[in-house]
Amino acid sequence: MTDTLTGYPRAKGWFAALGLILILAGAWLAASIQTSGGISVRDIRFAGTNGTTMSALLYVPRGATAATPAPGILAVHGYINSRETQDGFAIEFARRGYVVLAIDQTGHGYSGGKAFSNGFGGPDGLTYLRSLPMVDKGQIGLEGHSMGGWTVLAAAAAMPDAYRSIVLEGSSTGAPYAKDGSPAWPRNLALVYSLYDEFSGLMWDSPRAMDLAGSVKLQGVFGSGGAIEPGKLYGSIDAGTARVLYQPATTHPGDHISPAAIGHATDWFARTLKGGTPLPASDQLWYWKEVGTGIGLAGFVLLILGTFDLLLRSTPFRGLQAAAIPAVAERDTRWRRGMWLTTLVPVLLFFPTFIAIFLLLPATMVLPQTVTTQVALWALLCAGAGVLLRRFGPVPAPTPSSPWLAAVGIAVATVAVGYLAVFLVDRLFTTDLRLWILAVKWPSAWQWNIASIYLVPITIAYLVILRGVNGLMVQGDSAGRHYRTAITAMAGAFAGVFVLVYAGFFVTGTLVTGFDPLSTVIALQFVAILPVIAVIATFAWRRTGSHRAGALIVGLLVTLYVCAGTATQG
């Protein structure tokens, strides 16, 4: 819809109000669920090895006091995640009467140090959990997902008599990052390893996770002498040699939102720890917390759009308003060729770029986050390829001579309003804005510094990329078709390829991109993020006639999103 007098899109300022309402309502719901039944949740910091600042969420159920201590569980997220990723597990553990310490690994979230250092922070987390007066030190459980499993295994190796049982979710003993397992170590092990876990070759020498029962490495840990029967108890709980394998029908990141995976973990601790509150595995509420933070995440996008629209109508930024003039008269052969090149290049460059950076460019103080370096270089290569291939597609329309200073100002102001809301959610509700592995978090002071390193290259890349995307807009198209064009250009091939990859994975159990399972899992985020980028950029283009303001907003958002949500190695 446009203003009939000016041709300018009608005000969407109500987006900002609706976005803020969704953020607050979602945060309230999330906070209500994680504190249900009288549970208290506190954001804490404690000193680890060599004074390293460690961050955690501490869940304390009602009735857990120094006079009546409760069993405790150390819960740890995986690589390039944060403590909130374990919320489903932590909430259900706490509902069953366990004191839960969900830590940020070193170099992740709000914990200091480098990733992989100090036993990933596991020994420090276990030491702190055992120091709490409301925790029964004789009834301690350890639970970790993926690299979080190696974290709790590091704690178990450093303090072999300080826990009673352990749950590894999508993780493993032994190489590359943990002590070798045996029928006697670790104590009372439940392995929850999904049928479609992307990392089974790396962790258990099993090319297909559905064939895990036949893994010789795993059989050595179970002492089974043959194929392992899922669900069967091996060894003795009283002797500390108990072993059990569970295989829910989900993926490696799917463990976080799998009622089966969470239920297996709660059941195992009910069998191996004393003092908890018995509840059926099916009695779960955590997913409502996920609904709440997901609503908040959707509200964040609306808040960004609405704030931009309101600011654009204010006196300081009104000069940015201009009619959006599509560059293309019709969808001819040149347009189709340009669309195919624009959408295919990012997916074709993705794995070569991510693998090359991982192998050839280790993290340093200059480039301290490997994943952010991968994202930045990938975006720059996509931009460069777009420039080189532009002669094969439509020629972008000339950019209006809008003032750069105003474009920078409105981008910074828009993102600042969005992140102020993130800050308030963090401080008032002790949560963030997330849906599964997608999360917008308030960055730590160190992450703000890191963001300043990557902001310029990522923003330059999107200034180039989004000018090319806007150049695909066709004259006479409706607003809806403009958005569909941008989404297809940004994410069409990316989404299509990964739908095919996972369709094949679920049918055959073989991951075609198994040569780089980590980048495969990372790519799942971009299947969702790239369409959001397209929407924000198109919303801004339709109101300014230029790619600049939208690209600057996207550069800021992508940089902060990645820097706050990944690991720091340098």
Side-chain angles (χ1 to χ4, degrees), residues 247-561:
Q247 289 207 274
T250 186
T251 65
H252 186 81
D255 290 340
H256 300 303
I257 54 172
S258 166
I262 293 172
H264 291 318
T266 60
D267 269 357
W268 186 245
F269 286 131
R271 297 172 70 179
T272 56
L273 299 179
K274 298 177 182 179
T277 302
L279 288 176
S282 59
D283 186 344
Q284 299 181 20
L285 295 177
W286 62 268
Y287 47 82
W288 286 109
K289 189 265 180 186
E290 195 77 11
V291 169
T293 55
I295 290 171
L297 188 60
F300 176 79
V301 176
L302 286 176
L303 179 61
I304 290 294
L305 297 178
T307 299
F308 176 81
D309 192 73
L310 286 172
L311 290 172
L312 193 61
R313 297 169 191 278
S314 67
T315 301
F317 304 114
R318 193 169 294 152
L320 292 171
Q321 294 182 15
I325 302 174
V328 181
E330 60 178 338
R331 286 175 169 79
D332 55 12
T333 300
R334 190 176 182 89
W335 181 91
R336 288 192 292 271
R337 188 166 57 233
M339 173 62 82
W340 276 108
L341 290 172
T342 301
T343 194
L344 282 173
V345 164
V347 73
L348 292 174
L349 290 176
F350 184 81
F351 282 105
T353 304
F354 272 57
I355 292 171
I357 293 297
F358 180 79
L359 295 176
L360 303 176
L361 192 59
T364 64
M365 287 298 292
V366 177
L367 297 172
Q369 293 183 334
T370 297
V371 172
T372 312
T373 302
Q374 290 171 317
V375 170
L377 185 58
W378 172 61
L380 285 170
L381 288 175
C382 290
V387 172
L388 293 175
L389 297 172
R390 191 165 287 167
R391 63 192 180 94
F392 297 105
V395 178
T399 301
S401 56
S402 56
W404 272 101
L405 185 59
V408 171
I410 197 170
V412 170
T414 299
V415 174
V417 170
Y419 268 82
L420 176 60
V422 176
F423 175 80
L424 292 175
V425 166
D426 176 73
R427 294 301 188 268
L428 298 178
F429 298 98
T430 319
T431 186
D432 55 9
L433 308 179
R434 71 170 51 240
L435 182 63
W436 191 23
I437 54 176
L438 302 168
V440 175
K441 290 178 58 66
W442 179 256
S444 67
W446 179 230
Q447 288 163 347
W448 282 108
N449 289 332
I450 292 172
S452 68
I453 298 172
Y454 292 101
L455 177 60
V456 171
I458 289 175
T459 303
I460 288 174
Y462 278 107
L463 281 166
V464 175
I465 291 169
L466 292 173
R467 185 175 181 224
V469 170
N470 289 344
L472 294 168
M473 299 303 178
V474 179
Q475 296 170 14
D477 277 358
S478 64
R481 198 155 189 186
H482 284 157
Y483 285 107
R484 291 195 296 273
T485 296
I487 291 170
T488 301
M490 290 291 294
F494 214 92
V497 165
F498 280 92
V499 166
L500 292 175
V501 166
Y502 274 88
F505 188 35
F506 293 141
V507 170
T508 68
T510 299
L511 185 66
V512 175
T513 56
F515 53 84
D516 189 0
L518 177 60
S519 295
T520 301
V521 171
I522 291 172
L524 293 176
Q525 297 183 54
F526 285 87
V527 171
I529 292 169
L530 290 174
V532 174
I533 288 173
V535 168
I536 293 172
T538 304
F539 187 90
W541 169 77
R542 282 179 49 80
R543 286 155 175 75
T544 64
S546 169
H547 66 289
R548 290 175 184 168
L552 291 169
I553 290 171
V554 166
L556 281 163
L557 290 176
V558 169
T559 302
L560 292 174
Y561 173 88

Side-chain angles (χ1 to χ4, degrees), residues 6-338:
T6 66
Y8 185 72
R10 288 182 180 174
K12 300 293 184 183
W14 61 270
F15 277 14
L18 178 59
L20 188 58
I21 290 170
L22 291 177
I23 289 171
L24 294 176
W28 175 84
L29 175 59
S32 298
I33 295 301
Q34 68 185 14
T35 59
S36 62
I39 298 166
S40 70
V41 181
R42 289 192 290 140
D43 181 355
I44 64 170
R45 304 290 184 272
F46 60 94
T49 303
N50 299 322
T52 300
T53 297
M54 296 297 297
S55 157
L57 292 175
L58 178 63
Y59 298 73
V60 181
R62 178 186 294 165
T65 66
T68 57
I73 296 176
L74 175 66
V76 191
H77 63 86
Y79 184 52
I80 62 173
N81 291 145
S82 65
R83 59 195 189 177
E84 290 85 3
T85 317
Q86 285 293 95
D87 280 351
F89 293 92
I91 289 169
E92 295 307 326
F93 294 156
R95 289 184 65 233
R96 286 158 175 79
Y98 304 106
V99 176
V100 183
L101 185 71
I103 67 168
D104 280 324
Q105 292 182 41
T106 49
H108 291 72
Y110 302 127
S111 286
K114 298 178 182 179
F116 301 88
S117 65
N118 302 341
F120 311 96
D124 292 333
L126 181 54
T127 298
Y128 183 80
L129 177 64
R130 289 177 59 82
S131 74
L132 297 173
M134 77 289 289
V135 172
D136 182 348
K137 297 170 182 58
Q139 302 294 325
I140 300 286
L142 307 175
E143 183 271 333
H145 177 262
S146 192
M147 199 164 92
W150 300 333
T151 306
V152 295
L153 287 170
M159 307 169 68
D161 299 320
Y163 72 103
R164 287 184 61 84
S165 62
I166 185 169
V167 175
L168 298 182
E169 296 268 353
S171 191
S172 65
T173 59
Y177 293 112
K179 176 181 173 181
D180 287 337
S182 72
W185 189 90
R187 181 182 287 114
N188 290 337
L189 167 67
L191 176 63
V192 183
Y193 210 88
S194 298
L195 288 171
Y196 305 102
D197 192 289
E198 293 89 338
F199 295 87
S200 59
L202 170 70
M203 292 186 174
W204 292 108
D205 301 327
S206 177
R208 300 196 314 170
M210 58 179 58
D211 299 328
L212 187 65
S215 164
V216 174
K217 179 181 176 181
L218 184 59
Q219 290 169 17
V221 177
F222 273 56
S224 62
I228 296 161
E229 182 181 337
K232 176 183 176 180
L233 182 67
Y234 294 79
S236 165
I237 291 175
D238 290 339
T241 60
R243 301 282 184 268
V244 67
L245 170 65
Y246 300 112
Q247 289 207 274
T250 186
T251 65
H252 186 81
D255 290 340
H256 300 303
I257 54 172
S258 166
I262 293 172
H264 291 318
T266 60
D267 269 357
W268 186 245
F269 286 131
R271 297 172 70 179
T272 56
L273 299 179
K274 298 177 182 179
T277 302
L279 288 176
S282 59
D283 186 344
Q284 299 181 20
L285 295 177
W286 62 268
Y287 47 82
W288 286 109
K289 189 265 180 186
E290 195 77 11
V291 169
T293 55
I295 290 171
L297 188 60
F300 176 79
V301 176
L302 286 176
L303 179 61
I304 290 294
L305 297 178
T307 299
F308 176 81
D309 192 73
L310 286 172
L311 290 172
L312 193 61
R313 297 169 191 278
S314 67
T315 301
F317 304 114
R318 193 169 294 152
L320 292 171
Q321 294 182 15
I325 302 174
V328 181
E330 60 178 338
R331 286 175 169 79
D332 55 12
T333 300
R334 190 176 182 89
W335 181 91
R336 288 192 292 271
R337 188 166 57 233

